[in-house]
């Protein structure tokens, strides 16, 4: 037994001596690292430049030995002191890492000096948006409407405060408190309020720059003034941020999630609101305070056909688009739908900011039907929708008012979009409105929508004012059975089809009204088309433009004869196609058409509901002869290169007014009645 123990001890001694020799002669192998306590600063002031030059780490070797390593022989991960809070920093040495936690504390006012005091970004954007623009198509027509805030939640106006720390580091503070003063407009002057008066109008949280106006403040105008409070450099001693606001009944919107509050009907929004902490209280308005760029992720997933759906197969013609674009938008949905009950109103005010929907996927399936070779998609989905409860309950809703104003809207369907595949692609309508008693659209810029406004079913009053619209894929306006719409001081250009579409059912017991559109003299209508744009291709309507062009030489000849040479084909071979009045939806429908279009007092004056015009259409257009009207004059083409006035006599000098205006109406009947309006151009013979 002793001999065995001796052998074990000798073997152990030999092993230990070998290990010591290896440790003394071989490479050092670090096993772990830790940061030496007391060798580094654990707390920093906000904005302070960190200094870890004195930091040391303790390295433990595989042998059990330890050693200290000084900076910079190890790596310290970057971190910022611009925001307060706890920060984790990674320390690296060879292949080993460890972490430390430090605190960044709020810079106390006495430790930092205010060197800059400026307007917040949203206010700078607002000021730029209401300024004069080089490109007039991006300039709001009315730039003096003012700034609105809602009373339902807090309005936040935090200035951009630049502080200089004791070690000369400059940073933007999120914790500096300012003086906040609020005065009320009384007559033409802003009056100082007593503490009691102020308390009834607004609650102020100076630490959050939060102003929560009460119901009592609705309809009143206030001036908000922010000024630096402490430790102000003399260079900004007189600095201030000032904004005049009008208080309305509504919710202040800052994000895409806030936009979901516009909707009070779509079931799909319920889960979205819950997931994004959006409350569901009833509101009467939405007021925008930021630009919002919408993506598919900002909308309910059920609004899209997506890879993984049972009806989306890799053999489908639209599969590649669905796969590459995170889905395609479903047809026949209204993304944000506002149902308005009797004696209710809803107001959407954009404060001159932009809602950009260009990143939302297009529609590839017509009402959910998979595309086939040669099939077409005529989308019926809108971004915003106003409708009354009658749409659901069939109970007449009275005294409903829907308003949208002061907003720039960018869509996802440009005039030329999808020309390479016009049959299987489509975008959004900007605004649908169904049956609101009063619809007010004011001071909008709208670009690249399938249709800008689709206004259907009776509206007792509808006014579109100070509005610009450009580059619609289909039309700028689509009216159906809409009573009277007034367009005032606006500009609309470049639609892929007719600029204005008036579509009505035949007058009967169910449809006792027709669309009537009045356009004032200050409104600009311009829409040069070739006939090859997507709208014409989808509707097999290229022949309309071809037919108009074939009449150009005739009109030019007669207009020259009366000293007012006109043409409706410009030097590039394009026709200024203003409007079309057609029955129902397809151009091939039969039946009468009712509609009225008037510009200024007697400029366009296209009225297919007029009994005299209808008599002429029935007797002449029904036989294939086009009827012309302008400025109160009516003439027809007899098929033998001759124009006659009605009753049937040759044109004479008294008919010069037919060619003196800016627009010409052409009526025809080929299976169904069709009325179109084109813009005249002054004709100048080639030199």
């Amino acid at each position: 037994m002793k001999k065995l123990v001796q052998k074990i001890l000798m073997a152990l001694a030999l092993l230990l001596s070998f290990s010591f020799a290896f440790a003394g002669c071989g490479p050092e192998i670090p096993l772990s690292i830790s940061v030496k306590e007391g060798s580094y600063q654990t707390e920093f002031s906000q904005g302070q430049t960190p200094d870890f030059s004195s930091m040391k780490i303790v390295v433990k070797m595989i042998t059990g030995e330890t050693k200290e390593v000084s900076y910079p022989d190890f790596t310290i991960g970057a971190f910022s002191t611009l925001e307060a809070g706890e920060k984790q920093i990674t320390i690296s040495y060879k292949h080993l890492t460890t972490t430390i936690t430090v605190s960044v504390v709020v810079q106390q006012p006495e430790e930092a000096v205010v060197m800059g005091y400026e307007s917040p970004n949203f206010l700078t954007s607002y000021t730029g948006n209401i300024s004069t623009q080089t490109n007039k198509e991006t300039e709001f027509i009315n730039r003096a409407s003012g700034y609105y805030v809602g009373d339902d939640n807090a309005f936040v106006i935090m200035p951009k405060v630049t502080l200089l720390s004791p070690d000369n580091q400059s940073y933007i503070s999120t914790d500096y408190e300012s003086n906040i003063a609020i005065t009320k407009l009384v007559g033409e002057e802003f009056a100082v309020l007593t503490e009691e008066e102020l308390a009834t109008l607004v609650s102020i949280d100076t630490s959050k720059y939060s102003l929560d106006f009460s119901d009592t403040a609705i309809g009143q105008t206030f001036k908000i003034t922010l000024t630096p409070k402490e430790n102000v450099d003399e260079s900004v001693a007189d600095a201030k941020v000032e904004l005049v606001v009008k208080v309305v009944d509504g919710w202040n919107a800052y994000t895409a999630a806030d936009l979901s509050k516009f909707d009070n009907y779509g079931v799909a929004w319920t889960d979205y609101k819950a997931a994004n902490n959006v409350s569901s209280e009833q509101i009467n308005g939405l007021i925008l305070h930021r630009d919002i760029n919408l993506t598919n992720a900002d909308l309910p997933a059920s609004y899209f056909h997506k890879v993984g759906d049972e009806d989306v197969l890799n053999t489908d013609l639209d599969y590649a688009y669905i796969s590459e674009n995170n889905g395609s938008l479903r047809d026949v949905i209204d993304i944000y739908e506002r149902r308005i009950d009797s004696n209710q109103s809803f107001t959407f005010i954009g404060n001159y900011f932009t809602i950009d929907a260009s990143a939302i996927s297009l529609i590839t399936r017509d009402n959910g039907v998979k595309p086939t070779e040669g099939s077409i998609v005529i989308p019926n989905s809108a971004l915003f929708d106003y409708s009354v409860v009658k749409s659901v309950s069939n109970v007449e809703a009275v005294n409903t008012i829907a308003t949208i104003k002061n907003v720039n809207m960018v869509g996802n369907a440009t005039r030329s979009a999808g020309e390479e595949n016009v049959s299987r692609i489509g975008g959004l309508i900007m605004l649908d409105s169904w049956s609101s008693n009063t619809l007010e659209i004011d001071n909008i810029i709208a670009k690249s929508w399938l249709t800008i406004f689709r206004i259907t079913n009776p509206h007792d009053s509808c006014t579109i004012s100070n509005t610009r619209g450009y580059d619609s894929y289909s039309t700028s306006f689509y009216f159906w059975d809409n009573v009277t719409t007034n367009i005032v001081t606006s500009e609309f250009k470049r639609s892929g089809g007719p600029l204005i579409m008036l579509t009505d059912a035949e007058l009967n017991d169910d449809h006792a009204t027709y669309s009537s559109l009045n356009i004032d003299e200050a409104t600009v209508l311009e829409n040069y088309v070739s006939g090859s744009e997507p709208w014409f291709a989808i509707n097999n309507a290229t022949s309309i433009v071809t037919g108009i062009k074939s009449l150009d030489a005739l009109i030019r000849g007669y207009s020259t004869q009366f000293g007012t040479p006109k043409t409706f084909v410009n030097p590039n071979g394009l026709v200024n196609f203003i409007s079309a009045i057609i029955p129902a939806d397809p151009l091939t429908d039969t039946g009468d058409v009712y509609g009225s279009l008037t510009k200024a007092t007697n400029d366009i004056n296209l009225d297919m509901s007029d009994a005299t015009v209808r008599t002429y259409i029935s007797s002449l257009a029904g036989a294939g002869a086009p009827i012309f009207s302008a400025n109160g004059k009516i003439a027809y083409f007899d098929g033998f290169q001759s124009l006659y006035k009605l009753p049937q006599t040759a044109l004479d000098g008294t008919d010069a007014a037919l060619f003196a205006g800016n627009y010409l109406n052409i009526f025809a009947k080929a299976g169904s009645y069709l009325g179109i309006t084109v813009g005249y151009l002054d004709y100048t013979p080639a030199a």
Side-chain angles (χ1 to χ4, degrees):
M1 185 68 178
K2 285 185 177 180
K3 290 183 178 180
L4 178 58
V5 172
Q6 282 181 330
K7 287 182 179 180
I8 292 174
L9 290 174
M10 289 177 62
L12 182 58
L14 181 62
L15 178 61
L16 290 174
S17 64
F18 176 79
S19 298
F20 291 148
F22 179 81
C25 301
E28 294 181 344
I29 300 177
L31 182 63
S32 64
I33 62 172
S34 60
V35 179
K36 185 177 181 179
E37 290 187 12
S39 69
Y40 64 97
Q41 187 174 343
T42 60
E43 184 176 282
F44 297 89
S45 296
Q46 189 177 14
Q48 180 181 351
T49 301
D51 181 5
F52 293 111
S53 60
S54 62
M55 182 184 286
K56 297 179 183 297
I57 63 171
V58 177
V59 183
K60 184 177 181 180
M61 303 299 179
I62 195 170
T63 61
E65 292 184 332
T66 60
K67 71 172 183 177
E68 286 189 359
V69 177
S70 300
Y71 185 78
D73 291 339
F74 54 86
T75 303
I76 301 174
F79 87 105
S80 172
T81 62
L82 295 182
E83 294 183 2
E86 289 194 341
K87 312 284 182 176
Q88 275 201 335
I89 306 172
T90 300
I91 311 299
S92 303
Y93 177 73
K94 296 187 177 180
H95 63 286
L96 301 173
T97 61
T98 189
T99 60
I100 60 171
T101 300
V102 300
S103 297
V104 177
V105 297
V106 175
Q107 180 75 59
Q108 298 302 315
E110 63 271 12
E111 297 178 4
V113 178
V114 177
M115 300 299 296
Y117 198 86
E118 304 169 273
S119 295
N121 290 338
F122 84 89
L123 190 50
T124 302
S125 296
Y126 165 73
T127 302
N129 293 340
I130 62 173
S131 64
T132 301
Q133 307 293 322
T134 302
N135 178 3
K136 294 303 177 183
E137 292 189 2
T138 63
E139 180 181 286
F140 285 93
I141 292 177
N142 178 4
R143 302 188 299 282
S145 178
Y147 199 93
Y148 293 80
V149 301
D151 72 315
D152 291 339
N153 62 328
F155 169 61
V156 178
I157 176 171
M158 180 181 291
K160 188 184 296 183
V161 182
T162 304
L163 295 182
L164 187 67
S165 65
D167 60 349
N168 292 320
Q169 296 299 308
S170 178
Y171 64 100
I172 304 297
S173 173
T174 57
D175 297 280
Y176 181 86
E177 286 194 26
S178 299
N179 298 308
I180 302 178
I182 297 181
T183 53
K184 186 178 78 170
L185 184 64
V186 179
E188 296 183 356
E189 302 290 334
F190 284 94
V192 176
L193 300 167
T194 65
E195 289 187 11
E196 292 77 12
E197 290 172 328
L198 190 62
T200 65
L201 295 168
V202 61
S203 297
I204 304 174
D205 186 334
T206 56
S207 65
K208 296 180 179 178
Y209 292 90
S210 169
L211 312 177
D212 197 348
F213 288 94
S214 68
D215 292 348
T216 308
I218 293 175
Q220 301 188 62
T221 299
F222 301 89
K223 181 188 292 184
I224 303 167
T225 304
L226 310 178
T227 55
K229 191 172 185 178
E230 294 178 312
N231 293 2
V232 184
D233 185 82
E234 62 179 12
S235 64
V236 292
D238 297 325
K240 64 181 177 179
V241 172
E242 203 165 67
L243 178 63
V244 174
V245 301
K246 303 175 184 178
V247 179
V248 294
D249 184 6
W251 183 272
N252 297 302
Y254 301 92
T255 66
D258 285 327
L259 285 185
S260 67
K261 295 184 74 67
F262 184 100
D263 189 285
N264 67 342
Y265 179 74
V267 176
W269 284 108
T270 302
D271 292 341
Y272 175 93
K273 289 178 180 179
N276 290 274
N277 297 316
V278 179
S279 57
S280 297
E281 69 269 31
Q282 289 299 310
I283 62 173
N284 296 317
L286 201 64
I287 299 90
L288 200 61
H289 298 290
R290 301 287 190 278
D291 292 337
I292 295 179
N293 297 318
L294 292 171
T295 67
N296 290 5
D298 297 313
L299 310 180
S302 61
Y303 282 175
F304 299 89
H305 298 284
K306 290 197 171 188
V307 172
D309 292 349
E310 290 184 1
D311 63 340
V312 176
L313 306 176
N314 59 11
T315 55
D316 295 341
L317 290 179
D318 60 347
Y319 182 83
Y321 181 88
I322 292 174
S323 176
E324 294 168 7
N325 294 277
N326 191 27
S328 69
L329 189 66
R330 291 185 182 274
D331 196 10
V332 197
I333 61 169
D334 294 309
I335 292 177
Y336 302 110
E337 184 170 359
R338 170 58 50 165
R339 292 287 170 95
I340 306 174
D341 207 343
S342 292
N343 302 309
Q344 288 186 345
S345 64
F346 194 88
T347 301
F348 180 40
I349 302 176
N351 276 333
Y352 300 90
F353 293 108
T354 296
I355 294 178
D356 188 337
S358 60
I360 294 178
S361 296
L362 296 171
I363 298 166
T364 62
R365 301 189 174 195
D366 194 273
N367 202 12
V369 177
K370 292 185 180 184
T372 58
E373 291 293 344
S375 63
I376 64 174
V377 175
I378 302 178
N380 283 276
S381 292
L383 184 65
F384 291 100
D385 174 272
Y386 280 132
S387 57
V388 300
V389 293
K390 182 181 179 182
S391 304
V392 186
S393 63
N394 205 34
V395 176
E396 189 72 42
V398 297
N399 299 325
T400 61
I401 303 173
T403 304
I404 180 170
K405 68 179 188 178
N406 302 346
V407 62
N408 181 24
M409 297 282 214
V410 181
N412 65 346
T414 63
R415 185 185 186 192
S416 59
E419 286 187 345
E420 73 288 349
N421 187 17
V422 296
S423 64
R424 286 195 296 274
I425 203 162
L428 281 164
I429 298 164
M430 191 199 89
L431 176 67
D432 246 344
S433 183
W434 296 75
S435 305
S436 299
N437 297 122
T438 301
L439 175 63
E440 298 175 352
I441 299 168
D442 181 50
N443 212 33
I444 307 295
I445 300 175
K447 189 172 184 179
S448 300
W449 297 91
L450 176 85
T451 297
I452 299 174
F453 303 113
R454 184 170 68 175
I455 302 173
T456 60
N457 297 315
H459 289 68
D460 295 337
S461 172
C462 177
T463 302
I464 300 170
S465 55
N466 303 309
T467 293
R468 300 183 186 274
Y470 309 103
D471 299 319
S472 299
Y473 180 88
S474 178
T475 65
S476 291
F477 303 95
Y478 184 99
F479 297 101
W480 186 85
D481 198 18
N482 182 48
V483 194
T484 300
T485 300
N486 299 303
I487 302 180
V488 181
T489 318
S490 297
E491 177 176 274
F492 294 92
K493 296 181 179 180
R494 302 189 301 274
S495 286
L499 203 65
I500 301 165
M501 181 77 75
L502 292 165
T503 306
D504 290 275
E506 186 174 353
L507 292 182
N508 53 42
D509 292 340
D510 295 327
H511 297 279
T513 59
Y514 58 86
S515 291
S516 177
L517 181 61
N518 298 321
I519 305 167
D520 78 334
E521 190 173 18
T523 293
V524 175
L525 304 175
E526 182 182 293
N527 187 42
Y528 291 105
V529 299
S530 66
S532 62
E533 292 80 6
W535 183 88
F536 294 96
I538 288 174
N539 289 282
N540 297 317
T542 300
S543 59
I544 292 178
V545 176
T546 303
I548 294 172
K549 290 181 180 179
S550 69
L551 296 170
D552 184 63
L554 173 71
I555 296 299
R556 186 188 314 156
Y558 273 93
S559 62
T560 303
Q561 173 184 332
F562 292 108
T564 54
K566 298 287 185 179
T567 180
F568 28 75
V569 179
N570 74 5
N572 296 319
L574 304 177
V575 174
N576 193 9
F577 193 8
I578 302 302
S579 72
I581 298 182
I582 62 175
D585 281 326
L587 291 174
T588 55
D589 273 8
T590 59
D592 293 344
V593 183
Y594 295 82
S596 173
L597 175 64
T598 302
K599 188 173 191 296
T601 53
N602 196 21
D603 194 358
I604 293 180
N605 197 30
L606 187 162
D607 192 349
M608 292 190 71
S609 64
D610 182 83
T612 303
V613 172
R614 297 189 66 75
T615 298
Y616 294 146
I617 292 176
S618 298
S619 61
L620 296 171
I627 309 299
F628 304 99
S629 78
N631 292 311
K633 295 291 183 177
I634 299 177
Y636 77 98
F637 177 45
D638 69 356
F640 297 97
Q641 301 297 310
S642 299
L643 274 176
Y644 291 88
K645 61 185 175 183
L646 297 166
Q648 195 167 339
T649 58
L651 298 183
D652 58 30
T654 62
D655 301 293
L658 182 67
F659 310 102
N662 296 312
Y663 302 94
L664 178 71
N665 306 313
I666 305 173
F667 306 89
K669 190 175 192 304
S672 64
Y673 292 114
L674 171 67
I676 66 173
T677 298
V678 293
Y680 271 136
L681 303 168
D682 292 333
Y683 174 67
T684 303

